Amino acid sequence: VNVAILGATGAVGKELLELLAERKFPLKNLKLLASTRSAGSKIIFQGQEIVVEAVADSSFDDVDILLASAGGSTSKAWAKKAVAAGAVVIDNSSAFRMDETVPLVVPEINPEAAGKHQGIIANPNCTTILMGVAIYPLHQIQPIKRVVVATYQSASGAGARAMEEAKIQARDILDGKQPLAEVLPYPIAFNLFPHNSPLNDQGYCEEELKMVNETRKIFNAPEIRVTATCVRVPILRAHSETVNLEFAQPFDVEQARELIAAAPGVKLVEDWQSNYFPMPIDATGQDPVLVGRIRQDISHPCGLELWLCGDQIRKGAALNAIQIAELLLEKNLLEVPDSAFSV
Ligand code: A2P
């Protein structure tokens, strides 16, 4: 399969490269695309040097799958051109997620949605993916009525430069210097702040609304009520979340534990004796979402509480995109319908 990565020099782009190699994706040709800033730089992939190209109109000739991870405006500028050139685009940005003609896919939850693509498949928001794989096994047994979630989001969500900035800030603070914040609006080292995406007039930020709207779309359950508080914390690349679930009937905690332990993409991590539960350092570099502290909500007879950590760059972004690509191959879904965009 001929694959191109748009945003190959970024945090997610680099992880996509690792995963293509690690999972032995059946590659014929691999093209690495970025902006003019990185054009000409070289990346070693499986012992071979690949020169990064600036994305251009001709970039998508002979591309079967475009993995796009270069931000919303870049996806808006190029995705439809790639489809018109015959590629299926797996887009990691928020540009097309809520478009009715674009499936929003987490392979452990709604693989069937991928079959309806018109050339573009959207990869959901990272916090939404991590929560989704953890709570869907419960939703399948008893529909979730309401979700109250708080997130603890790592610097990686804002890209490779934000991760670098976090490390520099930590060093500066330990050296007694004033930390500089250029990528994120405030210092993230030894600090935390509510997610900096734009706020609406109800006081919710875009990141929080993604959790609301994308969860409903992925679960195909527009009736689920979701409220979220998203916070950036001084962690490099794994997000954590506290999730409160409300059902119509009480949910047996032991059953919830068994369902989560058996679910794909999830690992139950609970040692109540030692007070050992999922932590970002354990989730970093791991594929499964770590889930633990599953317990009855003492404030509501039909409520459950749980805690999770997941690698934001892996399952929260690159791994989910590669799983979608694998699904396309497995189900023979690489054809772009004639009705798809023409540019
Ligand atoms: P570049 O290295 O040329 O800036 P991250 O999310 O880690 O910040 O990475 C963003 C990725 O998106 C990088 O690979 C970056 O490439 C790429 N990118 C950003 N803006 C553009 C653009 N206008 N056109 C193409 N690629 C872009």
Side-chain angles (χ1 to χ4, degrees):
V1 185
N2 292 323
V3 173
I5 300 178
L6 176 56
T9 53
V12 174
K14 286 185 180 148
E15 200 70 19
L16 287 167
L17 283 164
E18 280 202 15
L19 285 162
L20 286 172
E22 187 183 306
R23 295 170 75 92
K24 300 190 172 49
F25 195 84
L27 283 172
K28 195 152 105 194
N29 188 41
L30 177 63
K31 195 181 273 193
L32 303 184
L33 304 168
S35 78
T36 47
R37 286 182 293 272
S38 306
S41 60
K42 289 165 187 151
I43 291 179
I44 307 283
F45 178 75
Q46 294 189 308
Q48 287 205 329
E49 204 175 70
I50 305 181
V51 179
V52 176
E53 299 168 37
V55 61
D57 282 339
S58 59
S59 297
F60 312 110
D61 301 343
D62 296 330
V63 171
D64 300 312
I65 298 179
L66 174 69
L67 299 164
S69 194
S73 54
T74 307
S75 285
K76 278 193 184 131
W78 297 103
K80 292 184 183 177
K81 289 185 183 173
V83 175
V88 177
V89 178
I90 301 171
D91 184 35
N92 202 46
S93 80
S94 60
F96 303 103
R97 286 182 191 146
M98 295 313 294
D99 185 326
E100 280 179 11
T101 65
V102 174
L104 184 63
V105 175
V106 178
E108 291 88 344
I109 302 175
N110 61 341
E112 69 292 343
K116 300 188 189 105
H117 80 80
Q118 305 276 306
I120 301 178
I121 298 179
N123 205 37
N125 161 265
C126 47
T127 49
T128 309
I129 297 177
L130 301 178
M131 180 172 83
V133 288
I135 68 174
Y136 189 68
L138 310 181
H139 178 76
Q140 279 180 299
I141 299 299
Q142 205 194 136
I144 294 168
K145 279 178 64 184
R146 180 166 181 252
V147 182
V148 182
V149 54
T151 69
Y152 306 72
Q153 298 186 215
S154 59
S156 58
R161 286 178 58 234
M163 294 169 79
E164 203 42 47
E165 179 172 87
K167 291 188 218 165
I168 294 168
Q169 287 172 354
R171 278 190 211 108
D172 282 349
I173 291 171
L174 292 174
D175 288 345
K177 293 189 217 152
Q178 198 61 25
L180 268 182
E182 284 170 347
V183 182
L184 287 169
Y186 310 106
I188 188 74
F190 301 103
N191 190 28
L192 54 81
F193 46 87
H195 199 280
N196 51 295
S197 49
L199 296 163
N200 74 1
D201 51 16
Q202 291 173 300
Y204 280 78
C205 69
E206 271 180 10
E207 185 81 355
E208 292 160 352
L209 296 172
K210 286 175 189 173
M211 296 196 81
V212 175
N213 298 322
E214 294 182 22
T215 302
R216 290 172 170 164
K217 181 168 174 177
I218 299 161
F219 282 31
N220 192 20
E223 68 286 355
I224 296 187
R225 286 175 291 148
V226 182
T227 181
T229 301
C230 292
V231 179
R232 289 201 193 271
V233 298
I235 298 289
L236 282 181
R237 59 174 282 171
H239 286 356
S240 305
E241 303 179 23
T242 58
V243 187
N244 180 281
L245 302 171
E246 187 188 323
F247 301 88
Q249 305 292 326
F251 205 116
D252 180 69
V253 176
E254 208 39 57
Q255 188 191 12
R257 200 165 275 136
E258 282 165 16
L259 287 165
I260 285 173
V266 179
K267 186 172 169 196
L268 183 69
V269 176
E270 287 190 326
D271 181 345
W272 292 86
Q273 304 269 297
S274 322
N275 206 337
Y276 173 73
F277 300 104
M279 290 187 280
I281 47 170
D282 293 337
T284 295
Q286 298 286 318
D287 287 349
V289 176
L290 310 182
V291 183
R293 291 203 78 207
I294 303 166
R295 60 202 190 279
Q296 168 74 49
D297 174 352
I298 55 168
S299 74
H300 197 294
C302 302
L304 272 189
E305 287 278 355
L306 59 86
W307 164 254
L308 65 87
C309 299
D311 188 304
Q312 185 270 328
I313 311 182
R314 282 219 154 203
K315 185 57 186 168
L319 174 62
N320 199 71
I322 296 290
Q323 287 176 304
I324 294 172
E326 290 169 346
L327 186 65
L328 293 178
L329 296 191
E330 189 190 311
K331 302 282 179 204
N332 220 355
L333 296 172
L334 275 185
E335 272 311 294
V336 176
D338 290 340
S339 56
F341 315 103
S342 54
V343 176

